Amino acid sequence: MTGWYIQRGPESDVVISSRVRLARNLEEFPFPFKMNKDQEQDILVKVRDVVSGSKSDTIQNTLFVDMQSLNPIDRLALVEKHLISKDLAESQRICGALISRDEKISIMINEEDHLRIQCMFSGMQLDSAWDLCNSIDSEIEDRVSFAFDNKYGYLTCCPTNIGTGIRVSTMLHLPALVMTGYIKGILEACGKLGIAVRGIYGENSEATGNMFQISNQITLGQSEDEIVANITNITFQIIEQERTLRNELNKRNPFRFEDRIYRSFGIFSNARIMSADESLKLLSDVRLGINMGIIKDIKMETVNEIALLIQPASLQKFAGRPLSPEERDIKRAELIRQKLGSAKE
Amino acid sequence: MTGWYIQRGPESDVVISSRVRLARNLEEFPFPFKMNKDQEQDILVKVRDVVSGSKSDTIQNTLFVDMQSLNPIDRLALVEKHLISKDLAESQRICGALISRDEKISIMINEEDHLRIQCMFSGMQLDSAWDLCNSIDSEIEDRVSFAFDNKYGYLTCCPTNIGTGIRVSTMLHLPALVMTGYIKGILEACGKLGIAVRGIYGENSEATGNMFQISNQITLGQSEDEIVANITNITFQIIEQERTLRNELNKRNPFRFEDRIYRSFGIFSNARIMSADESLKLLSDVRLGINMGIIKDIKMETVNEIALLIQPASLQKFAGRPLSPEERDIKRAELIRQKLGSAKE
């Protein structure tokens, strides 16, 4: 596997990934929820045409993925990689996505807006993600007219995206903030600053492996650069707090700390049946153990690969066939052991 | 380590050890609780003298261990090996034990009775234990007069031992009977048959690693051979039931079964802090896993050695210094990893 999500980026002890997406609509078409089939088709053709004529190799070489031609498992696997949204996967429209080979770029067509241009990087690379996103946006804008209002800026289907149409986010691994309960203060502070925080896979943070996505809620009245700088700034403050707490926890009782890490690792690498929830919880401890230098012989790349592959659709693609939930729990445990090199069979 | 308790004996998938002990008193002395220091000393000298003049090398070569000369940890280590009783370890009398090099024979002097002749074998070897015990008894009786009554047989300090003075026991590992709850029926049936059943290290069977000792309660009105045959018979019935249940549990849901075994193994081989109770519980699953052929690369001898060494006194002897309970929990986890060859430091 070679996708960006396997690699370690800057500050990857806390920051899993950085993402920027822009919402754009073509001036001459109604918003997607008002389009007819012909218009849906027209948009697809037009956008693919623009992209294939790009001066940039990266953009030109994106691969068009037609949603209608994919089976549900393949569609869900793209959702699990954050390459498309759940809405696009389940959409009844003629729709699709242009995805770069390294999977850093994904341009969804006919989702909530005509275009959702998204760039993702591993670790803390918001600037790179924004630069790339911005350049794709400019390239496309050179050849089409986006719906734009001089007072409000870019017009979007949902008013919460109006103005810049930008959503800037980082995905953070915050086990020490959760263990100590200090995460509550972070959540409150973010709320006051107009920053949204959410668990990646659900509401209960422990069950989601202590992963949190922070993103801007405001898209109007601030420039893109300001929004990127704001999220960057807050992310670095959270990184600092998380790192301090990790060291304090470890210092206070190193045996207790190591014991927690290694118990999780022991179960993770030996179980024969494992639910998605449990695997995320254990994975969080293993990730922490590697980042703290406690677990030395497992690469973070392996952990990243496992984190991706243990999700339901990816797991079924890996197995090469549809699996019942019970079969998935068995296959998940098998995959983990195999990837960790601890499979005994 | 070379003691009998490390080896696997017959039926060792269920039977850990077989033990026979005889309670004997010398005719010319009062019972221990009525003796003065001179008499205590006289008995010691007399018994050591008889034993050192034995025609049998095994008996002659037993080593005299003087309780007064041992520190509390060394005394407790002998208790943990079942070579002496807790009462002897804590006794204020002049007392000691003659112990053979292979630790199969232990003759306690001035415990509750003047002599407690005990033979222990690994696995199901009650006949061998009884034969050896019987031959030692005969040898000693050739040279001393035991307190004996024509109507009641051998006289013992406590009336529950009177007659044959024999206690015949097997130590059994019964995880499947505990898991299924059928152990209750066994306990009831044994009670009705005059068989005592008890957890080895305490009352709560789960916390004691599913280990049970069964032994005769009646010493009067039956011959030694009958008592040995009776315990043998009941032990084999329990072995059968335990084996059947293990196979049924495994057959019913092999993944669930393996999962339980390997989760325990994962924690056992990775934890950094481990209480005595938890280690016995996990050890039970690991033992079961090896016996079921699920865990293949760990020898039962290693498990037997660990089972012995993780006890408080043995652990401190292994560490070479006294340890606080917290230190013991850390040392115990360290020892387990070292013995399993999974220590990473």
Side-chain angles (χ1 to χ4, degrees):
Chain A
M1 301 195 71
T2 53
W4 64 270
Y5 31 77
I6 303 300
Q7 288 132 43
R8 305 186 76 157
E11 327 296 345
S12 68
D13 57 328
V14 180
V15 187
I16 305 300
S17 62
S18 305
R19 173 154 58 154
V20 173
R21 73 117 172 92
L22 295 171
R24 295 290 184 262
N25 290 280
L26 305 194
E27 199 175 38
E28 74 240 59
F29 291 92
F31 284 136
F33 73 93
K34 278 195 156 181
M35 294 196 296
N36 60 37
K37 289 287 153 197
D38 286 343
Q39 290 170 318
E40 288 170 5
Q41 185 62 39
D42 284 353
I43 294 248
L44 262 189
V45 171
K46 196 173 180 79
V47 174
R48 291 186 65 181
D49 188 49
V50 167
V51 165
S52 68
S54 167
K55 292 162 292 180
S56 151
D57 278 355
T58 321
I59 302 172
Q60 199 200 332
N61 288 332
T62 51
L63 198 81
F64 179 70
V65 181
D66 178 10
M67 281 305 121
Q68 273 68 34
S69 74
L70 292 187
N71 64 45
I73 289 181
D74 283 334
R75 263 181 257 167
L76 191 56
L78 292 175
V79 176
E80 290 173 357
K81 285 178 165 183
H82 302 290
L83 287 168
I84 64 168
S85 65
K86 210 156 184 291
D87 281 350
L88 194 79
E90 291 165 358
S91 175
Q92 298 303 315
R93 293 184 198 122
I94 298 170
C95 61
L98 288 152
I99 298 172
S100 65
R101 281 174 200 282
D102 60 8
E103 301 185 349
K104 280 180 180 166
I105 304 169
S106 164
I107 304 168
M108 286 189 282
I109 307 167
N110 293 342
E111 207 245 22
E112 186 180 287
D113 295 298
H114 295 151
L115 288 180
R116 287 280 176 104
I117 305 164
Q118 174 189 263
C119 294
M120 289 187 290
F121 282 69
S122 60
M124 187 59 192
Q125 300 192 68
L126 273 186
D127 288 339
S128 306
W130 163 233
D131 286 348
L132 183 57
C133 221
N134 196 19
S135 73
I136 296 166
D137 179 46
S138 303
E139 273 237 37
I140 297 174
E141 200 163 17
D142 284 348
R143 304 194 38 205
V144 301
S145 289
F146 284 146
F148 187 85
D149 178 273
N150 280 330
K151 187 173 172 200
Y152 293 115
Y154 291 103
L155 301 178
T156 54
C157 186
C158 175
T160 58
N161 291 314
I162 214 161
T164 52
I166 201 171
R167 181 81 71 232
V168 177
S169 65
T170 50
M171 200 202 289
L172 309 175
H173 183 224
L174 307 175
L177 279 162
V178 172
M179 271 185 235
T180 55
Y182 289 137
I183 191 74
K184 271 191 191 165
I186 300 278
L187 298 181
E188 281 170 22
C190 285
K192 285 177 192 161
L193 294 165
I195 304 288
V197 186
R198 56 173 173 223
I200 286 308
Y201 306 96
E203 290 308 301
N204 178 337
S205 59
E206 264 281 11
T208 59
N210 302 313
M211 291 290 182
F212 295 86
Q213 187 189 56
I214 72 160
S215 63
N216 62 306
Q217 285 182 307
I218 295 156
T219 55
L220 190 66
Q222 285 186 305
S223 73
E224 291 86 345
D225 285 332
E226 281 170 338
I227 292 168
V228 170
N230 193 18
I231 295 293
T232 300
N233 187 13
I234 284 159
T235 299
F236 272 106
Q237 287 183 41
I238 297 176
I239 292 173
E240 261 327 289
Q241 292 188 49
E242 171 66 21
R243 282 182 186 155
T244 305
L245 286 174
R246 287 183 189 180
N247 290 329
E248 270 178 23
L249 282 173
N250 190 21
K251 222 171 170 178
R252 203 182 302 161
N253 193 334
F255 283 107
R256 185 69 53 197
F257 199 81
E258 276 198 37
D259 187 57
R260 175 187 166 132
I261 301 286
Y262 269 106
R263 279 171 183 262
S264 292
F265 175 71
I267 297 170
F268 196 63
S269 57
N270 280 285
R272 263 50 185 172
I273 302 175
M274 192 171 291
S275 71
D277 271 6
E278 188 188 16
S279 66
L280 290 174
K281 202 163 149 273
L282 297 175
L283 201 61
S284 171
D285 281 344
V286 172
R287 192 183 283 280
L288 179 61
I290 296 172
N291 280 324
M292 298 290 289
I294 292 168
I295 297 177
K296 295 187 182 73
D297 49 1
I298 310 263
K299 283 187 194 166
M300 190 55 83
E301 286 78 0
T302 308
V303 169
N304 288 339
E305 196 182 348
I306 290 172
L308 183 71
L309 289 174
I310 56 178
Q311 299 178 92
S314 302
L315 200 59
Q316 294 177 80
K317 277 176 74 76
F318 181 84
R321 64 183 180 87
L323 301 169
S324 70
E326 290 75 22
E327 286 176 319
R328 284 210 291 273
D329 287 353
I330 291 170
K331 197 75 194 167
R332 184 178 291 112
E334 191 186 314
L335 180 137
I336 292 165
R337 296 198 309 285
Q338 189 181 317
K339 290 288 169 192
L340 290 177
S342 60
K344 300 265 163 66
E345 292 79 21
Chain B
M1 301 194 70
T2 53
W4 63 269
Y5 32 77
I6 304 301
Q7 287 132 43
R8 307 186 73 157
E11 328 296 346
S12 68
D13 56 328
V14 179
V15 187
I16 305 301
S17 62
S18 304
R19 174 154 59 152
V20 173
R21 74 113 173 95
L22 295 171
R24 295 289 185 262
N25 289 282
L26 305 193
E27 200 176 37
E28 74 240 59
F29 291 91
F31 283 136
F33 73 93
K34 278 195 157 182
M35 294 195 297
N36 60 38
K37 288 288 152 196
D38 286 344
Q39 291 169 317
E40 288 172 5
Q41 185 62 38
D42 284 353
I43 294 248
L44 261 189
V45 171
K46 197 173 179 77
V47 173
R48 291 186 65 181
D49 187 49
V50 167
V51 165
S52 69
S54 167
K55 293 161 293 182
S56 151
D57 278 356
T58 322
I59 301 173
Q60 200 201 331
N61 288 333
T62 51
L63 198 80
F64 178 69
V65 181
D66 179 10
M67 281 305 121
Q68 274 67 35
S69 74
L70 292 186
N71 65 45
I73 288 181
D74 283 335
R75 262 182 256 166
L76 192 54
L78 292 176
V79 176
E80 290 173 357
K81 285 178 165 184
H82 302 292
L83 287 168
I84 64 168
S85 66
K86 210 159 184 290
D87 281 349
L88 194 79
E90 291 165 358
S91 175
Q92 298 303 315
R93 293 184 198 123
I94 298 171
C95 61
L98 288 153
I99 297 173
S100 66
R101 282 176 199 282
D102 60 8
E103 301 186 349
K104 280 180 179 166
I105 304 170
S106 165
I107 304 169
M108 285 190 282
I109 307 169
N110 294 342
E111 209 244 22
E112 185 180 285
D113 295 298
H114 295 150
L115 289 180
R116 287 280 175 103
I117 305 164
Q118 175 188 263
C119 295
M120 288 186 290
F121 282 70
S122 60
M124 186 60 191
Q125 300 192 69
L126 273 185
D127 287 338
S128 307
W130 163 234
D131 286 348
L132 183 56
C133 221
N134 195 21
S135 73
I136 296 167
D137 180 45
S138 302
E139 272 236 39
I140 297 174
E141 199 164 18
D142 284 349
R143 303 193 39 204
V144 302
S145 288
F146 284 146
F148 187 85
D149 178 272
N150 279 331
K151 187 173 172 199
Y152 292 115
Y154 290 103
L155 301 178
T156 54
C157 185
C158 176
T160 57
N161 291 314
I162 214 161
T164 53
I166 201 171
R167 182 80 71 232
V168 177
S169 65
T170 50
M171 201 202 288
L172 309 175
H173 183 224
L174 306 176
L177 278 162
V178 172
M179 271 184 234
T180 55
Y182 289 137
I183 191 73
K184 271 192 191 164
I186 300 279
L187 298 181
E188 281 170 21
C190 284
K192 284 177 192 161
L193 294 166
I195 304 289
V197 185
R198 58 174 171 225
I200 286 308
Y201 306 95
E203 290 308 301
N204 179 337
S205 58
E206 264 282 11
T208 60
N210 303 313
M211 290 291 180
F212 295 86
Q213 187 191 56
I214 73 161
S215 63
N216 62 305
Q217 284 181 308
I218 294 156
T219 54
L220 189 67
Q222 285 187 306
S223 73
E224 291 87 345
D225 285 332
E226 279 170 340
I227 292 169
V228 170
N230 192 17
I231 295 294
T232 301
N233 186 11
I234 284 158
T235 299
F236 271 106
Q237 285 182 41
I238 297 176
I239 293 174
E240 261 327 289
Q241 291 187 49
E242 172 66 20
R243 283 182 185 154
T244 305
L245 286 173
R246 287 183 189 179
N247 290 329
E248 268 177 25
L249 283 172
N250 190 21
K251 220 169 169 181
R252 204 183 301 160
N253 194 334
F255 283 106
R256 186 66 56 196
F257 198 81
E258 277 197 36
D259 187 57
R260 176 188 165 130
I261 300 286
Y262 269 106
R263 278 170 182 262
S264 292
F265 175 72
I267 297 170
F268 196 63
S269 56
N270 280 285
R272 262 53 184 170
I273 302 175
M274 193 172 291
S275 71
D277 269 7
E278 188 188 17
S279 66
L280 289 175
K281 202 162 148 274
L282 297 175
L283 201 61
S284 171
D285 281 344
V286 172
R287 193 183 281 281
L288 179 61
I290 297 173
N291 280 323
M292 298 290 289
I294 292 168
I295 297 177
K296 295 187 183 73
D297 48 1
I298 311 263
K299 283 186 193 167
M300 190 55 83
E301 285 78 359
T302 307
V303 169
N304 288 339
E305 196 182 348
I306 290 172
L308 183 72
L309 289 174
I310 57 179
Q311 300 178 92
S314 303
L315 201 59
Q316 293 177 82
K317 277 175 73 75
F318 181 84
R321 64 183 181 87
L323 302 168
S324 70
E326 291 75 23
E327 287 176 319
R328 285 210 290 274
D329 287 354
I330 291 169
K331 197 76 193 167
R332 184 177 292 113
E334 193 186 314
L335 179 138
I336 292 165
R337 296 199 308 284
Q338 189 181 318
K339 290 288 169 192
L340 289 178
S342 61
K344 300 266 163 66
E345 293 79 19

